[in-house]
Amino acid sequence: VQLQASGGGLVQPGGSLRLSCVASGSIISINSMGWYRQAPGKQRELVAVITGSRNINYVDSVKGRFTISRDNAKNAVYLQMDSLKPEDTAVYYCNAEIYIPVLGWNTYWGQGTLVTVSS
């Protein structure tokens, strides 16, 4: 299984970016999908998560600005980021709980995509 994240880049404060993450491989089912971020010198933190039943949670600092969504047909999860702030600058990682033959349920991570918010 591979998770391929994309969509990062440089954006000015107040701008928007949309991150995408697509899972591929011998996937039978996907439960939760989420986005984490790690800023320089800080621990990785959960940004947003969406479960298989589409329950959603956000870290307080992004509520009202970020929107997580998923497309089960494409095995994809997205993060729409609006009103970006310099403190959103970080490497963003997607992850997913995926069921595959033989190994069952495991958590997989994407490679990370850098988001830089700066004027």
Side-chain angles (χ1 to χ4, degrees), residues 26-100:
S26 301
I27 297 169
I28 295 176
S29 182
I30 301 178
N31 189 12
S32 293
M33 305 185 82
W35 289 94
Y36 289 70
R37 66 186 179 186
Q38 188 166 18
K42 294 188 177 181
Q43 290 187 334
R44 189 175 298 189
E45 67 170 349
L46 174 66
V47 176
V49 62
I50 181 169
T51 68
S53 56
R54 298 186 184 273
N55 291 317
I56 293 173
N57 280 294
Y58 298 99
V59 67
D60 285 346
S61 60
V62 308
K63 286 180 179 177
R65 300 188 298 121
F66 290 10
T67 303
I68 190 170
S69 61
R70 63 190 287 170
D71 184 335
N72 291 334
K74 296 180 179 180
N75 291 333
V77 62
Y78 308 99
L79 187 68
Q80 177 65 40
M81 304 185 295
D82 299 318
S83 302
L84 281 160
K85 303 176 181 180
E87 50 263 44
D88 295 318
T89 295
V91 177
Y92 285 71
Y93 299 90
C94 59
N95 89 338
E97 295 177 310
I98 300 175
Y99 190 93
I100 66 171

